[in-house]
Amino acid sequence: MDIGLDGGFSEPVRQAQSSFRAIMDALANPGTVQKFADPAPAHGPLSGELVSTLLTLSDQDTSIWVSETLRQTAGVEGFVAFHTGAPIVNETGHAVFAFAGAARELPSLDAFNLGTQEYPDRSTTIVLGVTAFAGGDEMVIRGPGIKDQRKISPVGLPTDFVAQWAANRELFPRGVDLLLVGDGAVMGLPRSTRIAEGH
């Protein structure tokens, strides 16, 4: 029986460090595509990009939520337990990180931990698998880490994403952060980013 022991990083320290660097660069430069230098292999429904992010950010002290679709797949919970030790929580509001392979697996952004005024950094960071980083509806983003503005068009966001994000942005300094992963790379959209539909 597959209990999730295979897969993961072949060189955990080096790969986690390079993946962490890509994730931090993505959050520091919102809307840019940062390649994972040496991503982990996919594990069942977990894409290589989801696996790389999961292994880099999660540990036994980090509560995570994984979508029902991922969690119902044999081997996923065993994989998470063996490779990270991270406790999987049922309630989105208790998650430090949340993982979903597609937008349809994701509840609304405000279902997650939005942090508090005193501890805004305790909010959830959502990791969402996307089909592509270009080719979707164009959006214009502004904010810290962006000179003037930047245009992005990822494929695979929730249909009402711009409205959901506007509500999230209004909560600042509270609110969730978002990591989009796919195509061997990651794109960061921190809560400080303003997003509008492109024209």
Side-chain angles (χ1 to χ4, degrees):
M1 185 179 73
D2 175 19
I3 57 171
L5 305 189
D6 61 321
F9 286 143
S10 55
E11 296 181 50
V13 174
R14 183 182 62 78
Q15 287 176 279
Q17 287 176 341
S18 67
S19 295
F20 186 75
R21 196 157 46 243
I23 292 166
M24 290 299 102
D25 287 346
L27 288 169
N29 301 279
T32 63
V33 177
Q34 303 290 333
K35 282 286 185 185
F36 287 115
D38 190 8
H43 182 83
L46 290 168
S47 68
E49 298 85 6
L50 279 173
V51 171
S52 296
T53 309
L54 176 70
L55 298 185
T56 299
L57 299 179
S58 307
D59 59 30
Q60 64 270 19
D61 298 318
T62 311
S63 298
I64 67 171
W65 176 89
V66 296
S67 73
E68 195 67 23
T69 303
L70 296 176
R71 199 168 176 181
Q72 286 178 343
T73 304
V76 168
E77 288 196 44
F79 180 86
V80 172
F82 180 77
H83 289 282
T84 73
I88 297 177
V89 296
N90 293 318
E91 295 186 30
T92 51
H94 294 165
V96 178
F97 296 103
F99 298 86
R104 65 180 177 277
E105 303 172 15
L106 200 64
S108 61
L109 300 181
D110 61 9
F112 293 94
N113 187 346
L114 302 172
T116 64
Q117 291 298 122
E118 296 80 15
Y119 301 102
D121 58 324
R122 292 185 180 176
S123 67
T124 304
T125 296
I126 299 170
V127 184
L128 174 63
V130 294
T131 311
F133 289 112
D137 293 336
E138 188 175 87
M139 296 177 289
V140 178
I141 65 173
R142 297 178 175 85
I146 304 166
K147 184 178 179 181
D148 300 325
Q149 65 179 41
R150 185 171 286 140
K151 293 182 178 180
I152 62 171
S153 58
V155 179
L157 294 176
T159 51
D160 59 344
F161 175 72
V162 173
Q164 282 198 56
W165 192 263
N168 184 65
R169 179 64 185 78
E170 285 179 10
L171 298 171
F172 191 83
R174 298 166 62 226
V176 299
D177 297 318
L178 182 62
L179 292 170
L180 305 178
V181 298
D183 196 24
V186 56
M187 176 187 288
L189 293 172
R191 71 196 78 173
S192 57
T193 305
R194 296 182 183 277
I195 301 177
E197 293 179 5
H199 299 292

